């Protein structure tokens, strides 16, 4: 067995998962090779249906691979799952554990007992973590009475109280307000910095969160890793593109039409404040003439147009061909 600090916290080799039904086989993972160093905050990004959820489920021993291997903390996820489960923890965003009749401190303490933690150690850790996350006043409040932000902080404490070696965070700040999300991110950073052997695997739909928190990222699409690297290195992949944000009045669908324009590298659309905001990656400035011609023909009004520097989301869209929330086309 290699040295603890020098060995990978997570490693997969040709990892493959196929879902089989009577009618068809669906390949969710198609040969994933991944290595995460100890002490990293590592992000796994991918659009809906790309395979990232299947990957995480295998790594936390909730699902077996069809073929290939996966090691977490030097343990085989298929063979050593019982021992591994005492070394890891998983926190999911928006999780409602169903123990609303228990008080906050009681709820966390109960989960600590599932891991065999002594009551004395558990209570000390719970009090410390509650103070750090500003949840002390809610210690004797029933879980059912907690706000979504408080409940998510409680879930994070529940994951940290057992002192895992590797923490899996699945959308940890989904639906949280700005303050609660900031508190969660700050505690995650502090937890990793406190011990260089601790590791975090993060999935998130918030690109700014991935950019802020992650040391490195893997982008998954069609069951494969299409890119890996630091956030700055991934942004460099769109450094040569002209990036334009185009705000239009609402109207007929233009996304497919704009994606077909010669020189449009990628395009996404979101609705904001009663208008459509298109983010376009263009090969050069000249492509904008064709884009505005299509807009004029649609009868839509241009409310705003702005060029900007590339973001991690721009890199994601260029690599994947669609936005985070878009379903994979049949």
């Amino acid at each position: 067995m290699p040295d603890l600090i020098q060995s990978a916290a997570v490693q997969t080799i040709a990892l493959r998962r196929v879902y089989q039904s009577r009618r068809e086989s669906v390949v969710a993972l198609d040969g994933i090779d991944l290595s995460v160093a100890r002490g990293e905050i590592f992000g796994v990004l991918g659009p809906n249906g790309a395979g990232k959820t299947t990957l995480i489920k295998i790594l936390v021993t909730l699902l077996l691979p069809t073929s290939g291997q996966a090691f977490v903390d030097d343990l085989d996820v298929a063979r050593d799952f019982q021992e591994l489960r005492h070394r890891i923890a998983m926190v999911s965003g928006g999780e409602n554990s169903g123990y609303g009749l228990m008080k906050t401190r009681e709820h966390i303490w109960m989960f600590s007992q599932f891991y065999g933690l002594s009551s004395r150690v558990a209570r000390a850790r719970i009090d410390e973590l509650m103070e750090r996350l500003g949840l002390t006043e809610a210690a004797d409040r029933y879980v059912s009475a907690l706000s979504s932000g408080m409940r998510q902080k409680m879930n994070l404490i529940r994951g940290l109280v057992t002192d895992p070696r590797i923490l899996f965070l699945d959308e940890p700040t989904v639906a949280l307000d700005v303050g609660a999300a900031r508190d969660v991110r700050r505690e995650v950073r502090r937890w990793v910095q406190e011990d260089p052997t601790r590791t975090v695997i993060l999935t998130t739909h918030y690109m700014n969160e991935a950019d802020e928190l992650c040391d490195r990222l893997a982008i998954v699409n069609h069951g494969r890793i299409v890119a890996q690297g630091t956030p700055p290195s991934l942004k460099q992949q769109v450094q040569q593109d002209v990036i334009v944000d185009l705000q239009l009045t609402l109207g007929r669908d233009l996304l497919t039409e704009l994606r077909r324009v010669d020189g449009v590298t990628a395009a996404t659309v979101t609705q904001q404040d009663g208008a459509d905001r298109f983010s376009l990656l263009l090969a050069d400035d000249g492509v904008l003439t064709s884009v505005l011609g299509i807009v004029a023909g649609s009868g839509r009004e241009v409310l705003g147009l702005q060029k900007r520097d590339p973001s991690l989301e721009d890199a994601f869209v260029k690599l994947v061909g669609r936005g985070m929330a878009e379903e994979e086309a049949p």
Side-chain angles (χ1 to χ4, degrees):
M1 192 70 67
D3 181 76
L4 178 64
I5 295 180
Q6 292 180 352
S7 65
V10 173
Q11 186 172 16
T12 68
I13 303 168
L15 194 65
R16 183 175 170 86
R17 173 68 194 197
V18 180
Y19 292 102
Q20 191 77 41
S21 70
R22 292 183 178 180
R23 294 185 178 183
E24 62 179 347
S25 297
V26 177
V27 180
L29 297 180
D30 192 12
I32 297 288
D33 293 315
L34 183 66
S35 182
V36 179
R38 297 186 189 277
E40 277 194 300
I41 299 179
F42 190 91
V44 180
L45 306 180
N48 294 334
K52 66 179 185 298
T53 299
T54 297
L55 174 61
I56 297 301
K57 284 185 175 181
I58 290 174
L59 295 178
V60 299
T61 75
L62 294 179
L63 195 64
L64 286 171
T66 302
S67 62
Q69 292 178 290
F71 299 91
V72 177
D73 202 27
D74 296 323
L75 297 176
D76 189 306
V77 298
R79 187 182 63 242
D80 306 317
F81 62 91
Q82 288 184 321
E83 182 180 354
L84 177 57
R85 286 173 181 171
H86 288 275
R87 302 190 188 185
I88 63 175
M90 183 171 180
V91 178
S92 298
E95 179 184 346
N96 190 342
S97 59
Y99 296 95
L101 295 179
M102 299 185 71
K103 295 180 180 179
T104 305
R105 182 186 278 113
E106 293 173 339
H107 173 91
I108 301 169
W109 177 85
M110 180 187 69
F111 274 85
S112 75
Q113 299 311 289
F114 294 160
Y115 283 77
L117 208 62
S118 75
S119 292
R120 180 182 59 81
V121 172
R123 290 192 177 99
R125 288 182 183 173
I126 291 169
D127 289 344
E128 179 186 0
L129 288 165
M130 284 186 129
E131 184 175 355
R132 282 178 172 171
L133 281 161
L135 210 58
T136 301
E137 294 183 0
D140 294 320
R141 195 178 300 178
Y142 286 103
V143 173
S144 58
L146 298 180
S147 66
S148 59
M150 287 179 172
R151 188 177 292 112
Q152 187 58 6
K153 289 179 180 181
M154 178 196 71
N155 290 337
L156 180 59
I157 293 171
R158 196 185 71 196
L160 296 178
V161 72
T162 59
D163 195 22
R165 299 165 76 98
I166 299 166
L167 178 66
F168 292 85
L169 299 177
D170 183 21
E171 307 288 346
T173 60
V174 66
L176 297 188
D177 61 42
V178 173
R182 183 177 59 245
D183 290 344
V184 168
R185 289 193 295 268
R186 182 175 61 238
E187 181 59 24
V188 170
R189 279 194 299 267
R190 183 209 63 78
W191 183 78
V192 174
Q193 291 169 356
E194 192 176 69
D195 185 336
T197 67
R198 290 172 174 169
T199 306
V200 171
I201 308 295
L202 169 75
T203 70
T204 179
H205 273 72
Y206 302 137
M207 291 295 179
N208 289 339
E209 182 168 84
D211 198 356
E212 175 187 342
L213 270 182
C214 295
D215 301 304
R216 288 194 305 132
L217 299 160
I219 296 177
V220 180
N221 193 34
H222 299 294
R224 293 178 174 270
I225 293 177
V226 297
Q228 287 189 66
T230 64
S233 70
L234 292 174
K235 291 178 198 176
Q236 286 180 358
Q237 302 199 32
V238 290
Q239 201 68 48
Q240 303 303 316
D241 293 82
V242 175
I243 301 172
V244 173
D245 285 341
L246 182 62
Q247 192 172 15
L248 306 177
T249 54
L250 298 176
R252 68 178 176 84
D253 178 36
L254 289 180
L255 185 60
T256 302
E257 196 171 350
L258 289 174
R259 283 175 171 172
R260 291 174 178 165
V261 173
D262 187 28
V264 174
T265 308
T268 59
V269 62
T270 55
Q271 283 196 2
Q272 292 182 352
D273 301 324
D276 278 342
R277 176 182 174 272
F278 291 84
S279 289
L280 307 173
L281 275 67
L282 311 179
D284 55 60
D285 288 316
V287 181
L288 190 56
T289 302
S290 301
V291 168
L292 293 177
I294 290 175
V295 171
S298 72
R300 291 211 197 187
E301 181 182 349
V302 177
L303 301 176
L305 190 154
Q306 180 182 14
K307 290 184 181 180
R308 59 174 173 79
D309 293 330
S311 68
L312 184 59
E313 186 168 2
D314 297 322
F316 179 92
V317 171
K318 183 173 183 178
L319 288 162
V320 171
R322 54 193 167 121
M324 181 73 84
E326 289 184 67
E327 292 287 352
E328 185 174 346

